[in-house]
Amino acid sequence: MSTTVPFLLLFLGVLACEGANPCCSEPCENRGVCTTVGYDSYECDCTRTGYYGQNCTTPEFFTWIKYSLKPSPNTVHYILTHFRALWNIINNIPFLRDAIMRLVLTSRAHLIDSPPTYNSDYGYKSWEAYSNLSYFTRTLPPVPEDCPTPMGVAGKKELPDVNVMAEKLLLRRTFIPDPQQTSLMFAFFAQHFTHQFFKTDMKKGPAFIRAKNHGVDLSHIYGEELERQHKLRLFKDGKLKHQVLDGEVYPPTVSDAQVDMHYPPHVPESHRFAVGHEAFGLVPGLLMYATLWLREHNRVCDVLKTEHPDWDDERLFQTTRLILIGETIKIVIEDYVQHLSGYHFKLKFDPEILFNQRFQYQNRISSEFNTLYHWHPLMPDGFHIQDEVYNYSQFLFNTTLLTDYGISNLVESFTNQIAGRVAGGRNVGRAVLMVAVKSIENSRLMRFQSLNAYRKRFNMKPYVSFEDLTGEKEMAAELEEMYGHVDAVELYPGLLVEKPRPNGIFGETMVEMGAPYSLKGLLGNPICSPEYWKPSTFGGAVGFNIVNTASLQKLVCNNVKGPCPVASFHVPKVRDSVLSTINASTAHSSQKEVNPTVLLKDRSSEL
């Protein structure tokens, strides 16, 4: 550190002579805030960082003690993913499990600024950045526009051609299955769940969000606008509109609900299903989940109607929505995040754990969170349903799959097909490559800081070389030729080429960034607050029990006919699902073949 600071100050002096913004070099360490002073100087605000000095590099005594004893993120991950016997003991001791869960939640959630601080148009604190909910918030301010290079001071004066980079570093050569054995059931859940709050307003630009609420509100089930919600409601016994086909409940048609949905002309009117999110007709996996939640809503309404025969339609509907929000958060934490983490420690959804902690029950979606969640390497090259394999042109907008196979068979098939590894590079399928390209282009428009800047912001050591980032030589050499310096590697490409953790789906940065956003958003939901988290909110003990016993398996079993299939985010028994032995072109489908690139072209922000 002693040699770095003088060099940095000397370099800033050179930049000042050239008229550059001295904050471009990110001189303030440890979350210190850089402010320019005149045209050629700067100052660092080290308030409450635990550090002091010109660049916030000198630790206070207790900060030094804390970080001297604190294990690295990779060490913590290793401990949590090993020593199964020890964790089995801890998981069965309630006060120990609660204490560790409290530490997990607070240590993660406190990394997210609340209230929000920046957006893409305000790289400094302002009332506009705080109050204008039409923006995604920002964790780090944009790179100043008057910097020597696009990433501040590091790297080349021009960023690499995005299409060339995507072809060389992101495009799949051969499908790489996830070593954590993540299933397509997980992949479609991720897509379905996140699109209630990842709603980029592309009319305004990638810095703007269409969602009225920055969190888990189930608008992808009930509709964003009140008008759409009303069109989807039956207005009887609290239920949603539906149709019954072959004895099973499915979403209503567009003609019945009279809501806007994005379907191409070749989809017949009878199979244009209407759900909360207008783009969910794109993929049968999304409609599968939409149908399960529709059935669950109407099932819970029946439970509440039996318990409260005096309640009117509106109260039944509103209380059921709160119950489903609770079920969703429970499933996300105890099934979805549990699987992703790979922890032997058993995560627990219990809002009371935080009631005595400093915690704010509000949330704003950040543009960085929106960007990092583009996990398209999860998608395989073809989709196995029973004995058939569907390629993209046969799968997209093929709503007949929903009724031809039924929800139970889709659940079984998607549970048994393995998803792709996200980290490690070269695993984005050709059919969805354009979405990754668009993500990088949008990141550039919003002037995201570098991967290393975000690593420092989330308490990770910056990578010191390209090989340190990728863990191998070939892609490291490609990156070096493109960027010139490891500090210039962009956030999203860096996340996809980063070396995966051992036997992991992600690299370190994706997990250490994504987990704080996720847990803050989930536990920051109003239903988790002391005012809401009580039986009366959910219609009494019966409704509260539905929330507290929710699981993915239970969601499926309560809402399919006949024997319940295994529903899991983890493939129960890995089989050959890489399509190496099955030619997808021989698959049978009644769906008219269309170009998936054309279908996806205007919908990249929705994926």
Side-chain angles (χ1 to χ4, degrees):
M1 188 65 72
S2 59
T3 58
T4 303
V5 174
F7 173 78
L8 186 58
L9 294 176
L10 175 64
F11 187 56
L12 284 173
V14 174
L15 291 178
C17 293
E18 297 176 353
N21 183 334
C23 289
C24 288
S25 62
E26 305 168 26
C28 305
E29 299 288 332
N30 301 303
R31 298 181 67 174
V33 179
C34 183
T35 305
T36 55
V37 179
Y39 293 100
D40 57 1
S41 187
Y42 72 95
E43 64 180 15
C44 293
D45 184 350
C46 308
T47 305
R48 288 183 291 278
T49 63
Y51 293 82
Y52 62 95
Q54 182 173 359
N55 291 338
C56 308
T57 55
T58 305
E60 297 170 357
F61 177 72
F62 287 109
T63 300
W64 179 81
I65 293 292
K66 174 183 176 182
Y67 285 101
S68 296
L69 298 175
K70 184 178 181 180
S72 70
N74 278 333
T75 299
V76 173
H77 181 78
Y78 181 87
I79 293 170
L80 288 165
T81 54
H82 292 74
F83 315 110
R84 183 190 295 272
L86 174 63
W87 288 114
N88 286 342
I89 295 171
I90 292 173
N91 289 333
N92 287 291
I93 303 175
F95 81 91
L96 275 181
R97 184 185 176 200
D98 287 355
I100 294 173
M101 190 67 201
R102 184 180 300 109
L103 180 61
V104 168
L105 293 174
T106 55
S107 63
R108 298 290 196 182
H110 288 168
L111 286 171
I112 304 302
D113 292 329
S114 186
T117 48
Y118 310 110
N119 63 33
S120 291
D121 286 330
Y122 290 89
Y124 51 89
K125 294 183 180 72
S126 66
W127 189 256
E128 182 70 10
Y130 162 73
S131 63
N132 192 336
L133 298 180
S134 66
Y135 282 94
F136 287 104
T137 189
R138 286 284 288 269
T139 302
L140 286 180
V143 175
E145 293 181 315
D146 54 352
C147 291
T149 73
M151 304 310 290
V153 298
K156 300 182 177 182
K157 291 189 179 294
E158 290 188 5
L159 292 169
D161 180 275
V162 65
N163 291 298
V164 172
M165 180 173 58
E167 290 280 341
K168 288 186 175 182
L169 299 175
L170 305 185
L171 179 64
R172 175 178 295 155
R173 275 64 170 167
T174 301
F175 177 75
I176 305 170
D178 168 39
Q180 284 184 223
Q181 300 176 8
T182 298
S183 71
L184 283 194
M185 198 68 179
F186 174 93
F188 290 129
F189 186 94
Q191 199 175 21
H192 185 269
F193 167 72
T194 60
H195 280 73
Q196 62 189 297
F197 44 77
F198 290 156
K199 293 184 176 181
T200 305
D201 190 340
M202 297 311 295
K203 292 181 180 178
K204 293 182 178 179
F208 293 88
I209 184 171
R210 292 186 293 112
K212 298 297 184 291
N213 177 59
H214 287 237
V216 179
D217 62 354
L218 306 196
S219 57
H220 61 322
I221 297 173
Y222 301 109
E224 186 69 46
E225 305 288 346
L226 188 61
E227 179 184 5
R228 186 180 185 91
Q229 177 199 118
H230 283 179
K231 288 181 177 180
L232 291 171
R233 285 177 59 178
L234 188 62
F235 285 105
K236 181 180 179 182
D237 297 334
K239 293 186 176 182
L240 295 170
K241 287 181 179 177
H242 57 279
Q243 59 177 318
V244 178
L245 301 172
D246 296 326
E248 292 200 89
V249 169
Y250 289 94
T253 62
V254 170
S255 58
D256 181 30
Q258 294 296 305
V259 297
D260 178 54
M261 292 290 293
H262 298 167
Y263 286 109
H266 70 266
V267 178
E269 292 287 340
S270 61
H271 276 81
R272 296 189 179 195
F273 295 115
V275 296
H277 196 296
E278 65 275 8
F280 276 6
L282 175 68
V283 182
L286 299 179
L287 282 179
M288 174 193 71
Y289 274 113
T291 302
L292 282 169
W293 284 114
L294 164 66
R295 293 177 181 180
E296 177 67 0
H297 176 95
N298 287 352
R299 185 190 75 84
V300 172
C301 283
D302 285 336
V303 172
L304 290 180
K305 179 70 174 178
T306 300
E307 188 76 6
H308 304 285
D310 56 315
W311 281 12
D312 61 12
D313 168 77
E314 186 67 15
R315 187 165 187 180
L316 289 168
F317 172 83
Q318 297 295 349
T319 304
T320 297
R321 181 172 184 168
L322 291 177
I323 290 172
L324 263 64
I325 289 173
E327 287 187 80
T328 297
I329 297 174
K330 172 88 168 178
I331 290 170
V332 170
I333 290 177
E334 296 193 4
D335 287 334
Y336 179 91
V337 177
Q338 181 74 58
H339 167 73
L340 268 188
S341 70
Y343 293 168
H344 294 316
F345 171 65
K346 192 174 181 181
L347 300 177
K348 180 181 182 181
F349 173 50
D350 181 2
E352 292 187 22
I353 288 174
L354 294 177
F355 284 179
N356 293 321
Q357 304 294 310
R358 179 176 64 87
F359 196 81
Q360 293 185 322
Y361 294 96
Q362 59 177 330
N363 189 58
R364 283 280 291 278
I365 300 298
S366 76
S367 54
E368 294 98 337
F369 190 32
N370 183 28
T371 297
L372 72 81
Y373 228 113
H374 284 76
W375 295 346
H376 289 84
L378 289 170
M379 289 292 105
D381 295 321
F383 303 90
H384 297 235
I385 305 177
Q386 293 191 321
D387 296 326
E388 301 289 342
V389 182
Y390 293 84
N391 61 35
Y392 278 82
S393 64
Q394 296 166 325
F395 192 70
L396 299 181
F397 289 113
N398 191 350
T399 59
T400 59
L401 296 179
L402 201 68
T403 51
D404 286 353
Y405 287 102
I407 299 299
S408 185
N409 286 325
L410 291 183
V411 169
E412 181 181 34
S413 297
F414 294 148
T415 293
N416 284 310
Q417 183 170 0
I418 198 166
R421 189 183 70 190
V422 175
R426 296 176 177 165
N427 205 24
V428 179
R430 172 70 70 180
V432 292
L433 185 65
M434 55 156 292
V435 186
V437 168
K438 191 67 175 177
S439 297
I440 299 169
E441 291 174 342
N442 288 342
S443 298
R444 292 178 179 183
L445 287 174
M446 293 184 286
R447 306 196 313 280
F448 278 178
Q449 294 190 34
S450 67
L451 176 76
N452 265 346
Y454 282 99
R455 283 182 62 82
K456 290 189 286 186
R457 169 61 179 76
F458 285 88
N459 298 334
M460 291 171 279
K461 292 182 179 179
Y463 288 119
V464 297
S465 69
F466 291 102
E467 285 190 37
D468 187 27
L469 165 60
T470 64
E472 52 83 85
K473 296 182 182 296
E474 184 185 345
M475 283 191 295
E478 296 271 16
L479 282 167
E480 186 167 13
E481 182 181 347
M482 292 177 183
Y483 286 103
H485 195 285
V486 69
D487 284 344
V489 175
E490 299 167 89
L491 175 64
Y492 186 63
L495 290 168
L496 292 191
V497 302
E498 182 181 32
K499 59 181 179 289
R501 278 176 160 162
N503 297 314
I505 186 172
F506 297 132
E508 179 188 32
T509 313
M510 183 76 83
V511 175
E512 299 303 317
M513 278 188 69
Y517 291 125
S518 297
L519 294 175
K520 175 63 174 71
L522 293 168
L523 273 298
N525 193 283
I527 72 157
C528 299
S529 67
E531 291 75 20
Y532 275 70
W533 188 251
K534 54 187 71 174
S536 57
T537 300
F538 306 98
V542 171
F544 205 34
N545 183 62
I546 293 174
V547 173
N548 284 312
T549 60
S551 68
L552 176 69
Q553 186 67 69
K554 194 170 183 180
L555 172 67
V556 171
C557 288
N558 282 337
N559 294 291
V560 296
K561 286 178 63 177
C564 182
V566 173
S568 176
F569 293 141
H570 178 275
V571 177
K573 184 179 180 181
V574 176
R575 60 186 185 183
D576 180 15
S577 56
V578 184
L579 305 182
S580 58
T581 60
I582 302 177
N583 185 353
S585 66
T586 64
H588 300 287
S589 174
S590 60
Q591 181 76 4
K592 179 181 177 181
E593 292 211 16
V594 288
N595 187 341
T597 302
V598 173
L599 291 176
L600 292 168
K601 185 175 181 181
D602 298 322
R603 297 175 175 86
S604 60
S605 66
E606 301 291 354
L607 296 174

